[in-house]
Amino acid sequence: MSAIFDALPGIEVPVGEINRRLDAMWVDTAARGEAAPTADDAKATQVNFVLHLGFQTTPEDAVRQFQTVVRFAQRYPSRIVVLCPLVNETPDRLEMRAKIYGECFLGRSKSDKRCVEFVLLSYPRTARQYLEDQVSICLSVDLPLYYWAHRFSQSGKLADYQYLLRRARRVMIDSATAPEDALTYPWPRPEALRDLALARILPVRQSLGQFLASYPPALLGKGLRQVAVTHSAGLVAEARALSRWLRERLADGCRGEAATFTLSDDADDGPRLAVRFAYDDPAQAFAWQGDLTTRHAKFEASFGGGKTVLPAMVSLLEPEAALSEAMFF
């Protein structure tokens, strides 16, 4: 049995009757006086979304990610397919199983109704060859596809899902939970790959970018020897993403100078990130540190015009907001 499939909500239906049962589900919902889509509401669906729960996903984790997608869909009405591969296959459960689930939400007004439809598919390895055909039937043909691969165990195994990797406008992974080679693996469309760890630190990137933009790039890069990013436990992926982003943004200003980029653990308790630039000239300096518990941050800089100390705020994006950032920007 699929523990993650059984942990998720929905009504189990025959695989061959998914679309018919979805229509019937909304009819029954409307008959009970609950919110259900009308014919016009169906046109409001904006995206196809596939959530692929890998072998390392626990039932509790699956429920959390499911709820993340539900919250995402409140803003972006979606047709969502959740893939639940069988980890331990048993002879009595070798066929593909399906569930359907739907919710409607009110937007800013009573007339602004937003509905989301889920199709959940549990499948064994023996049914893998039929999976892509079944997924394509469940999706809306005229809408863009977005694919989130969550906690997959090996990049090579995920690469077998060519239909999703090639067709998706964006492929989302999370370097905090993905295999080490996930960001460098030769995916069929590497330009479509997005890291949710990088998306989560959008507020950090915006704050750093706005502050550093007040200095000429040549000044920031002149004599720059080291860019050090420190992090507390649990923020390794975010720190790596921040270091990569800084390397890219400073490339023009450094003009080929041999600045090194380092990562190190912060022994302090609590979720924290910090950045420090070291220069040949000891009079030049830049430092930023942020405490994600208190949401307080501080800038310190000295570039020849006196020392600047500036308090700021810091946070990470919520999971559903990180999804939309990775998908659309």
Side-chain angles (χ1 to χ4, degrees), residues 70 77 90 105 113 117 135 150 192 212 223 238 296 326:
V70 170
T90 56
F105 314 91
K113 187 190 303 179
E117 294 179 336
V135 169
H150 176 69
L212 293 174
E238 288 79 5
H296 292 160

Side-chain angles (χ1 to χ4, degrees), residues 10 42 134 138 141 154 157 162 179 182 187 201 208 211 216 224 257 261 267 282 294-295 304 308 310 314-315:
Q134 187 59 56
C138 295
V141 296
Q154 297 178 34
K157 289 185 176 180
Q162 291 290 309
W187 302 109
I201 63 169
L208 282 167
F211 184 90
L224 180 62
E257 296 183 29
F261 289 75
T294 63
R295 297 195 171 191
T308 298
L310 180 68
V314 64
S315 64

Side-chain angles (χ1 to χ4, degrees), residues 217-254:
L219 179 60
L220 293 175
K222 183 180 179 181
L224 180 62
R225 290 189 293 105
Q226 184 185 59
V227 176
V229 177
T230 58
H231 60 86
S232 55
L235 291 174
V236 179
E238 288 79 5
R240 287 175 180 164
L242 181 57
S243 183
R244 290 194 304 270
W245 177 79
L246 285 167
R247 182 189 295 268
E248 293 171 0
R249 293 299 177 268
L250 290 168
D252 291 339
C254 288

Side-chain angles (χ1 to χ4, degrees), residues 5 10-28 79-84 95-102 117-123 130-140:
F5 179 79
I11 304 167
E12 188 155 359
V13 300
V15 172
E17 298 184 17
I18 290 172
N19 288 326
R20 186 178 71 81
R21 292 297 187 96
L22 274 172
D23 292 338
M25 176 188 70
W26 289 123
V27 171
D28 293 342
R79 167 65 69 89
I80 297 163
V81 176
V82 182
L83 303 181
C84 307
E95 80 280 8
M96 194 178 294
R97 299 167 62 194
K99 281 182 182 178
I100 57 173
Y101 177 82
E117 294 179 336
F118 281 82
V119 175
L120 296 81
L121 297 173
S122 171
Y123 62 96
Y130 309 111
L131 181 66
E132 291 175 354
D133 287 341
Q134 187 59 56
V135 169
S136 65
I137 292 171
C138 295
L139 300 177
S140 298

Side-chain angles (χ1 to χ4, degrees), residues 8 21 41 73 82 89 103 149 174 190 202 249 257-258 277 306 311:
L8 296 176
R21 292 297 187 96
D41 290 324
V82 182
E89 301 174 8
E103 284 191 47
D174 192 333
L202 175 65
R249 293 299 177 268
E257 296 183 29
F277 294 1

Side-chain angles (χ1 to χ4, degrees), residues 141-276:
V141 296
D142 57 342
L143 296 177
L145 169 64
Y146 296 86
Y147 176 40
W148 178 15
H150 176 69
R151 288 192 182 274
F152 56 100
S153 57
Q154 297 178 34
S155 298
K157 289 185 176 180
L158 184 66
D160 290 339
Y161 293 82
Q162 291 290 309
Y163 168 80
L164 294 168
L165 292 170
R166 290 186 180 280
R167 185 183 166 190
R169 180 171 295 182
R170 293 283 187 271
V171 175
M172 282 82 68
I173 65 169
D174 192 333
S175 59
T177 58
E180 289 187 6
D181 68 339
L183 293 176
T184 57
Y185 189 85
W187 302 109
R189 295 183 59 241
E191 72 279 4
L193 191 69
R194 296 293 185 273
D195 183 7
L196 290 172
L198 179 65
R200 279 195 296 276
I201 63 169
L202 175 65
V204 175
R205 291 186 282 126
Q206 288 176 328
S207 185
L208 282 167
Q210 289 168 1
F211 184 90
L212 293 174
S214 62
Y215 298 97
L219 179 60
L220 293 175
K222 183 180 179 181
L224 180 62
R225 290 189 293 105
Q226 184 185 59
V227 176
V229 177
T230 58
H231 60 86
S232 55
L235 291 174
V236 179
E238 288 79 5
R240 287 175 180 164
L242 181 57
S243 183
R244 290 194 304 270
W245 177 79
L246 285 167
R247 182 189 295 268
E248 293 171 0
R249 293 299 177 268
L250 290 168
D252 291 339
C254 288
R255 298 188 180 183
E257 296 183 29
T260 60
F261 289 75
T262 64
L263 288 174
S264 59
D265 295 332
D266 183 351
D268 292 338
D269 294 333
R272 301 175 188 227
L273 287 170
V275 176
R276 184 174 297 276

